[in-house]
Amino acid sequence: MVSIFVIAKDNSNIAFFLETELEGLRQSIELLFLAYRDFTAEPDEILSRSGFGRAHHRVIYFVGRNPGMTVSQLLDILQITKQSLARVLRQLVDEGFIEKRLDEKDGRRRLLHLSAKGSEIEILLTTLQAERIRTAFDQAGKDAESVFKDVLRGIINEKDRGRVSDNC
Amino acid sequence: MVSIFVIAKDNSNIAFFLETELEGLRQSIELLFLAYRDFTAEPDEILSRSGFGRAHHRVIYFVGRNPGMTVSQLLDILQITKQSLARVLRQLVDEGFIEKRLDEKDGRRRLLHLSAKGSEIEILLTTLQAERIRTAFDQAGKDAESVFKDVLRGIINEKDRGRVSDNC
DNA sequence: CATATATGTCAATAAGGCTGACATATATAT
DNA sequence: ATATATATGTCAGCCTTATTGACATATATG
C-alpha cells in the first residue's frame, strides 16, 4: 500500500495506473463525506429544535432498533465512553424518550426501550433518512440496494459486520 | 411519506410491504453509520497524534483536491462558519501544512495550497481510506464502484452533486 | 464615492467527546 | 462465604469543534 507512493514519483505505466486508481477512490471518499453530511443534516436540524443533537439521535436510533439492549451493548456500538453516553442517556430518560427497565435475569443490567414518545420521533427521523436513501436507490437502478449494502459492509471493521443482519 | 405510518397501523398487505421496505432501508442507515464511523476512525487516530482532529483532515483533504481554492469555496463545501474554519486553518498554516497565497486577479482572495508537508500527510490519510474502500469494492464485485458512487450522489443534496466529477 | 465582497478576528457559549477516580449492586468463581 | 469480576452510575475537569454576534480591513465594482 505505501509502496504505491514510492514508485509513483516516476512516469512509468504502473505509477500512472496507480495514480488514476487513487483518483477514482478519492472521488468515493469525497462522495462519502458529502453524502454523510447531507444524510445527517436534516435530523440534526429537527433534533436541535428539541435541544438534542446527533448523539441523541444515535441513541434513539439504536435503542429503537434493538429494544431491550443493555447499556454496554450500546456503548459497544457507539464506541464512546460511558461518561459521554451517560449524559445523553440521562437527558433522554428525563425527557421521557427512553425507559430503563431492570433485567430480571441479571439484576446488574438495565434494559433500554423507547417510550411511545421516543418511538414517534425515531420513526420521524428514520423516515426522513430512509426516504433520502430510497430515492437514491431508485435513481441508481436495479441492484443498487444490495450492492450499496455490500460495499458498506466491506468498509465496516470485520468485528462489527455481523451486527447488521442481511436478511433483506 | 408520512402517510406510510398512518396506514401501517393495520395489517393490510400494503402496510406490511411498506414496513418491510422501511426495515430494509433501516439496514442501510445503520450500515452507513457504521461505515462512516470506521472510515474516519483511522485518520482521526493518526491526526490526534499531531494534535489535529477530523476538522483538520477535511481541510487538508479538500485543499489537496482543489489546489488554489478560496476560503469561501472551502466554507461552502464544509458548511461550517468562517469562525470555525478560521481556527483550524490558522493552525494548519502556522504548522506549515497549508499555504495561503494572494490571488493576483482579485486581491481580496487568498488561494489555498498544500505545502509539501501537507501533501505528504494528505496522501497518507487518503491512502488509508482509499485502501479500505478499494478492498470493499473488490469484495463486492464488478460494478460495485460505479453503483456505490451513483447511490452516494443520489443521497447528496442536488446543489452539491456537481461538485464531484464523474470522469472515472 | 458608495456599496458589496472576501477575509480576519474577538468574545461568549454549547455540544459532545475525553480521562481519571470512585461508588454500588449483583454475579460468579474458588 | 469470601473474593473477584461485571454492569452501571457519577463527580470533576478538560479539549475540540462547532455556534452566534459584532466589528475591522482590504479590495472590487457599480
Side-chain angles (χ1 to χ4, degrees):
Chain A
M1 182 175 78
V2 173
S3 61
I4 290 174
F5 300 101
V6 175
I7 63 171
K9 283 185 168 177
D10 67 44
N11 288 324
S12 68
N13 289 340
I14 185 156
F16 177 73
F17 169 74
L18 291 170
E19 259 174 39
T20 47
E21 199 206 357
L22 185 66
E23 188 52 27
L25 292 169
R26 267 180 219 261
Q27 288 184 2
S28 296
I29 290 174
E30 203 160 326
L31 288 166
L32 192 49
F33 164 75
L34 293 171
Y36 197 76
R37 186 199 65 180
D38 291 347
F39 177 71
T40 50
E42 263 177 329
D44 280 2
E45 208 277 315
I46 290 172
L47 282 163
S48 75
R49 289 181 221 152
S50 318
F52 293 147
R54 191 177 301 175
H56 302 85
H57 185 190
R58 291 195 287 250
V59 169
I60 287 172
Y61 178 81
F62 282 105
V63 172
R65 282 282 293 193
N66 306 90
M69 79 190 303
T70 66
V71 174
S72 306
Q73 288 167 343
L74 188 51
L75 283 172
D76 217 43
I77 289 185
L78 299 178
Q79 291 186 1
I80 56 176
T81 58
K82 93 184 143 164
Q83 296 92 323
S84 295
L85 177 57
R87 180 173 20 80
V88 173
L89 206 46
R90 194 183 324 121
Q91 291 170 304
L92 288 169
V93 170
D94 286 353
E95 308 249 354
F97 289 84
I98 282 186
E99 293 168 13
K100 271 182 191 171
R101 302 181 196 156
L102 214 130
D103 185 350
E104 311 234 319
K105 290 174 195 159
D106 184 340
R108 294 169 302 179
R109 292 189 167 135
R110 302 301 125 102
L111 306 183
L112 303 173
H113 294 267
L114 290 185
S115 67
K117 191 176 166 189
S119 197
E120 199 175 308
I121 198 165
E122 190 276 330
I123 287 171
L124 169 64
L125 299 173
T126 299
T127 305
L128 275 174
Q129 295 192 316
E131 204 51 27
R132 182 181 284 266
I133 292 186
R134 198 180 54 68
T135 307
F137 285 159
D138 287 352
Q139 288 167 357
K142 194 172 149 299
D143 293 328
E145 178 162 3
S146 68
V147 173
F148 185 67
K149 286 183 181 176
D150 282 347
V151 174
L152 291 180
R153 267 184 247 275
I155 293 175
I156 295 168
N157 290 339
E158 223 160 337
K159 167 184 164 293
D160 279 339
R161 271 176 212 164
R163 208 185 283 288
V164 181
S165 62
D166 54 357
N167 57 339
C168 252
Chain B
M1 184 175 77
V2 173
S3 62
I4 289 173
F5 301 102
V6 174
I7 63 169
K9 283 186 168 179
D10 68 44
N11 288 324
S12 69
N13 288 341
I14 186 156
F16 176 73
F17 169 75
L18 291 169
E19 258 175 38
T20 47
E21 199 206 357
L22 185 66
E23 188 52 27
L25 292 169
R26 266 181 218 260
Q27 288 185 1
S28 296
I29 291 174
E30 203 159 325
L31 288 167
L32 190 50
F33 165 75
L34 293 172
Y36 197 76
R37 186 197 66 181
D38 291 347
F39 176 71
T40 51
E42 262 177 331
D44 281 1
E45 208 278 315
I46 289 173
L47 283 163
S48 77
R49 289 181 221 151
S50 316
F52 293 145
R54 191 177 302 175
H56 302 86
H57 185 192
R58 291 196 288 250
V59 170
I60 287 171
Y61 179 80
F62 281 104
V63 172
R65 282 281 291 187
N66 306 92
M69 77 190 305
T70 66
V71 175
S72 304
Q73 288 167 343
L74 189 51
L75 283 172
D76 216 43
I77 290 184
L78 299 178
Q79 290 187 0
I80 57 175
T81 58
K82 92 182 145 168
Q83 296 92 324
S84 294
L85 177 58
R87 182 186 22 86
V88 174
L89 207 45
R90 193 185 323 122
Q91 292 171 304
L92 288 169
V93 170
D94 287 353
E95 308 247 356
F97 289 86
I98 282 185
E99 293 168 13
K100 271 182 190 169
R101 302 180 196 156
L102 214 129
D103 185 350
E104 311 233 321
K105 290 173 194 158
D106 184 339
R108 294 169 301 180
R109 292 189 168 136
R110 303 301 125 101
L111 306 184
L112 303 173
H113 293 267
L114 290 186
S115 68
K117 191 175 165 189
S119 197
E120 198 177 309
I121 199 165
E122 191 276 330
I123 287 172
L124 168 64
L125 298 174
T126 299
T127 305
L128 276 175
Q129 294 191 315
E131 204 51 28
R132 183 180 283 265
I133 292 187
R134 198 181 54 69
T135 307
F137 286 159
D138 287 351
Q139 289 167 359
K142 193 173 148 297
D143 293 326
E145 178 161 6
S146 68
V147 173
F148 185 67
K149 286 183 181 178
D150 283 346
V151 174
L152 290 180
R153 266 184 249 276
I155 293 175
I156 295 168
N157 290 340
E158 224 160 335
K159 167 184 164 292
D160 280 339
R161 270 175 215 167
R163 208 185 283 287
V164 180
S165 63
D166 53 359
N167 58 338
C168 254

